[in-house]
Amino acid sequence: MAIEQYLSPVQPNSLGYYPSEFSVTLGSRMRTHTPEEGCPELPEQGLVLLGVGEDRGAECNAGCAEAPNEIRRYLYRLAVPHVNTDIVDLGNIIVGQTAEDTYYAVSEVVSEVVSRGSTLVLLGGSQDLTFAAYKGFERMNRIINITSIDSRFDLENNDDITSRTWLRNIIMQNPNFLFFSANIGYQTHFVGQDYVQLMDDLKFDAYRLGLVQQDMSRAEALIRNADLVSVDVGAVRQSDAPGNLDPSPHGFYGEEYCQMMRFAGMSTKTCCLGLFEVNPHYDNRGQTAHMVAQGLWYFIEGFFLRNHDNPQLFPENCKRFFVKMEEPDMDLEFYKSKLSDRWWVHVPCENEEMQEIYSSQLMLPCTYGDYLQALKGELPALWMKYYQRLNS
């Protein structure tokens, strides 16, 4: 396996976990890269874990490099969520002499795993590793969408790649493979109106924390549209996730975090999840690492419950609805899954060449509320941003 040179094994005993043939825990069902067993073969269309202990790009959170094994310490002990659970744990990335070296190794693993049709979970480390994951998609020449669960936009004006600038640095890449980016849970007192306006000018989407908490279906649609989901644990309130050098008293509850992780697991489009910014130095009896591990459990449960309800791939599993719009003069095509009751809306692309390039972006996940809004003659805001991006 070409990527094995970048990997170091995990020793479960050092985490206080001792597998047993009679155990029904996740750790007993994983094929783990250990010194004794070596590195397992990558699965086809399976689930893969990778620890990345890199935090040189962390702003205000040095020490989060030690998180991967702390998360494993709790994850391995959780019960198996599904009878057919089969997970490969590749161990940890060998950290390079520079952060850029680590980014390169991560991008290689992302490219190798995702190209096999598998889904990769990155246990960070700091959130600038999202940039490294993006570079993995770039290696495949693959157009992607990124959704971040974060109290900030990470668009600060700095050419250095850090946990607060990674999105800006992705946008500045040329050629660029990022089609759409969305933020879930930003807090205005952290980002300010200028950055809110910038996200709108870029035709990206963002939902304030309070709006998402009022209606979690907004988060579900944005997550379902993402190839790459990047999570900053700082988006969770300090009382539920104290393990961060710069926590906030406000944020998502742990239960809401777990719910969003299940959304990501059930999304057939999501093929990379990054869990970042857990800092064991500031944790309270492992509370944050345990919460993140439980969220990952719900992601795993959702992953093994994925169904064939994408109308672009399985139109026979969906009902189609047409809504006549006056401005623009067209019929909006909505699709409702017969299997999950989830909704999509078709976004037309008028340029045939662009239609081929962005073929994967033509079916936009939405909510039932978007359908009701269209029935009132109002275009859903997210549909409009997508339409403008496809036809600009």
Side-chain angles (χ1 to χ4, degrees):
M1 186 166 51
I3 60 174
E4 193 169 344
Q5 61 182 312
Y6 303 117
L7 306 174
S8 64
V10 172
Q11 182 52 265
N13 292 355
S14 70
L15 307 177
Y17 177 79
Y18 299 90
S20 165
E21 61 179 315
F22 305 108
S23 177
V24 292
T25 60
L26 271 172
S28 67
R29 296 293 180 90
M30 290 187 194
R31 292 183 285 129
T32 302
H33 181 186
T34 65
E36 297 79 15
E37 300 293 333
C39 193
E41 287 295 319
L42 286 175
E44 300 289 340
Q45 299 182 335
L47 184 59
V48 180
L49 305 184
L50 176 69
V52 190
E54 173 65 72
D55 67 359
R56 281 170 286 189
E59 290 197 15
C60 304
N61 201 28
C64 61
E66 298 179 27
N69 282 349
E70 284 299 305
I71 296 171
R72 286 187 177 100
R73 186 183 303 277
Y74 296 96
L75 178 68
Y76 280 24
R77 293 181 172 88
L78 299 179
V80 175
H82 193 273
V83 66
N84 294 322
T85 300
D86 180 25
I87 304 170
V88 168
D89 188 341
L90 290 177
N92 296 316
I93 282 284
I94 298 173
V95 176
Q97 290 188 344
T98 65
E100 288 72 22
D101 293 336
T102 305
Y103 297 159
Y104 180 86
V106 171
S107 69
E108 285 272 287
V109 178
V110 170
S111 177
E112 181 70 19
V113 172
V114 173
S115 64
R116 290 172 176 260
S118 291
T119 297
L120 179 65
V121 178
L122 299 175
L123 305 177
S126 48
Q127 200 180 13
D128 51 294
L129 292 166
T130 311
F131 177 84
Y134 164 82
K135 297 297 281 188
F137 286 90
E138 182 182 87
R139 287 178 179 277
M140 297 182 284
N141 294 319
R142 177 167 166 174
I143 302 294
I144 70 164
N145 295 335
I146 298 176
T147 292
S148 62
I149 300 172
D150 199 338
S151 59
R152 296 172 169 85
F153 295 146
D154 299 329
L155 280 168
E156 290 184 8
N157 189 15
N158 189 330
D159 291 336
D160 294 332
I161 302 170
T162 73
S163 58
R164 297 284 172 84
T165 69
W166 61 265
L167 181 55
R168 178 186 183 277
N169 278 275
I170 289 176
I171 294 170
M172 298 301 292
Q173 296 296 298
N174 187 21
N176 199 285
F177 293 87
L178 176 65
F179 177 75
F180 190 76
S181 182
N183 171 281
I184 297 173
Y186 78 88
Q187 298 180 37
T188 312
H189 46 261
F190 287 143
V191 302
Q193 286 300 325
D194 288 346
Y195 279 113
V196 173
Q197 184 61 49
L198 177 59
M199 287 288 283
D200 193 59
D201 292 342
L202 290 168
K203 301 297 184 292
F204 291 163
D205 210 16
Y207 285 131
R208 286 177 51 236
L209 171 67
L211 289 176
V212 178
Q213 290 180 314
Q214 290 172 13
D215 182 6
M216 291 296 288
S217 69
R218 299 172 185 265
E220 190 279 328
L222 291 181
I223 290 171
R224 183 161 31 110
N225 191 39
D227 303 271
L228 169 57
V229 176
S230 175
V231 183
D232 183 339
V233 77
V236 181
R237 62 181 56 210
Q238 182 178 5
S239 59
D240 286 15
N244 186 283
L245 182 56
D246 188 27
S248 171
H250 304 293
F252 289 110
Y253 290 97
E255 296 90 340
E256 293 166 335
Y257 158 76
C258 289
Q259 186 176 1
M260 289 187 286
M261 291 301 94
R262 195 171 191 273
F263 292 156
M266 293 187 69
S267 168
T268 55
K269 189 172 186 178
T270 300
C271 53
C272 188
L273 169 70
L275 303 174
F276 305 118
E277 303 294 339
V278 176
N279 195 325
H281 291 274
Y282 300 93
D283 212 354
N284 176 22
R285 294 185 295 174
Q287 179 180 344
T288 309
H290 200 168
M291 185 207 71
V292 170
Q294 289 188 5
L296 182 49
W297 187 95
Y298 282 97
F299 177 87
I300 294 169
E301 181 192 45
F303 178 85
F304 288 102
L305 292 176
R306 289 182 175 184
N307 53 40
H308 303 303
D309 65 353
N310 187 321
Q312 200 165 14
L313 302 176
F314 306 98
E316 68 277 8
N317 291 335
C318 296
K319 295 180 181 179
R320 184 163 61 162
F321 302 85
F322 291 93
V323 179
K324 178 66 177 177
M325 306 299 297
E326 294 184 0
E327 184 60 41
D329 184 15
M330 64 171 65
D331 289 338
L332 289 192
E333 296 180 38
F334 284 88
Y335 294 81
K336 180 184 179 182
S337 168
K338 300 175 186 177
L339 304 177
S340 65
D341 287 341
R342 297 189 293 190
W343 286 80
W344 285 260
V345 59
H346 179 259
V347 184
C349 182
E350 298 166 0
N351 185 302
E352 291 186 5
E353 182 179 350
M354 296 291 286
Q355 186 174 5
E356 183 175 350
I357 295 173
Y358 295 112
S359 60
S360 63
Q361 308 299 331
L362 302 181
M363 200 64 69
L364 175 65
C366 65
T367 67
Y368 177 56
D370 292 323
Y371 172 66
L372 295 179
Q373 183 179 349
L375 289 177
K376 297 177 182 178
E378 304 172 7
L379 282 172
L382 184 56
W383 183 94
M384 196 64 214
K385 289 181 179 180
Y386 245 67
Y387 181 79
Q388 290 170 344
R389 291 189 70 83
L390 283 170
N391 297 282
S392 59

